[in-house]
Amino acid sequence: MSLKLKFLTCPECAGHSYSSYSSNGETANVNCRCGHNYKGKFEYKTVDYPNVTILGETFKKLDVEKEIFYNETHNDAPFGVNVKIEFHKESHYHRCDRKKRYNAKTRYNATEFHYLYETFGFIEYGVAIESNIHRIGGTLDLTHIKSIVITKATKKHRDH
């Protein structure tokens, strides 16, 4: 089983990251992070479910729901877990700042991780990452994620 990644490509910088867009279905008016505004047509790519490594155990192309809970009272993980996420190169989460391309992001001190999270909105399959330590959380579109690596946090990080 596979997923369908929906993305846009900027004709100016060839990036897929944008600050905002409005869509009427198959086309969108896009404000690219490079500063270029354009009208684009959505492109599609078939992708596999991501590989997920949880505290050293790897699940290849994980297509079942997983939930992990850590809180400050767990003796084995008092600082929660760090969740490193690698994105497909076509993902809008894949950031570009003209000098470097960033294809990974780490969420620090997560206390909850929900994989194949059902959302009510524009994301069909999601990954929710929450931190009771930083009092913040968010949801990412699973179709944009290439791999996830979860490791035990060893300290309280400044950022989530």
Side-chain angles (χ1 to χ4, degrees):
M1 192 171 164
S2 57
L3 301 167
K4 194 166 288 258
L5 171 62
K6 182 178 181 180
F7 62 97
L8 296 157
T9 303
C10 176
E12 182 73 21
C13 72
H16 307 287
S17 186
Y18 48 81
S19 53
S20 66
Y21 78 90
S22 61
S23 172
N24 64 357
E26 288 303 307
T27 62
N29 294 315
V30 184
N31 298 315
C32 183
R33 292 194 192 277
C34 75
H36 184 67
N37 298 323
Y38 66 96
K39 183 172 186 154
K41 185 175 181 181
F42 285 105
E43 300 171 64
Y44 297 90
K45 175 182 175 182
T46 301
V47 294
D48 290 323
Y49 282 86
N51 292 332
V52 180
T53 302
I54 302 172
L55 303 176
E57 184 178 0
T58 300
F59 302 89
K60 298 272 186 193
K61 301 177 185 172
L62 186 63
D63 64 352
V64 295
E65 189 174 323
K66 280 270 190 206
E67 290 195 336
I68 299 172
F69 297 93
Y70 287 98
N71 60 37
E72 298 85 344
T73 61
H74 276 91
N75 292 331
D76 60 338
F79 299 109
V81 294
N82 295 333
V83 181
K84 183 177 180 179
I85 301 167
E86 183 183 357
F87 300 106
H88 291 287
K89 67 179 180 180
E90 297 86 2
S91 173
H92 64 268
Y93 298 122
H94 188 113
R95 301 293 291 262
C96 173
D97 72 357
R98 294 208 188 264
K99 293 179 185 170
K100 300 185 214 179
R101 290 193 184 268
Y102 301 97
N103 69 340
K105 131 186 321 191
T106 301
R107 296 287 188 194
Y108 298 99
N109 306 116
T111 53
E112 295 182 32
F113 173 78
H114 308 274
Y115 182 84
L116 282 181
Y117 176 75
E118 289 187 34
T119 65
F120 300 98
F122 64 93
I123 298 176
E124 186 176 357
Y125 301 104
V127 173
I129 303 167
E130 302 173 48
S131 174
N132 292 337
I133 295 168
H134 292 287
R135 300 192 192 315
I136 195 166
T139 303
L140 298 168
D141 186 336
L142 183 68
T143 62
H144 290 259
I145 298 173
K146 187 174 182 179
S147 69
I148 300 170
V149 177
I150 298 173
T151 57
K152 197 181 299 185
T154 57
K155 66 178 184 174
K156 182 177 179 183
H157 199 273
R158 186 172 53 95
D159 302 315
H160 171 57

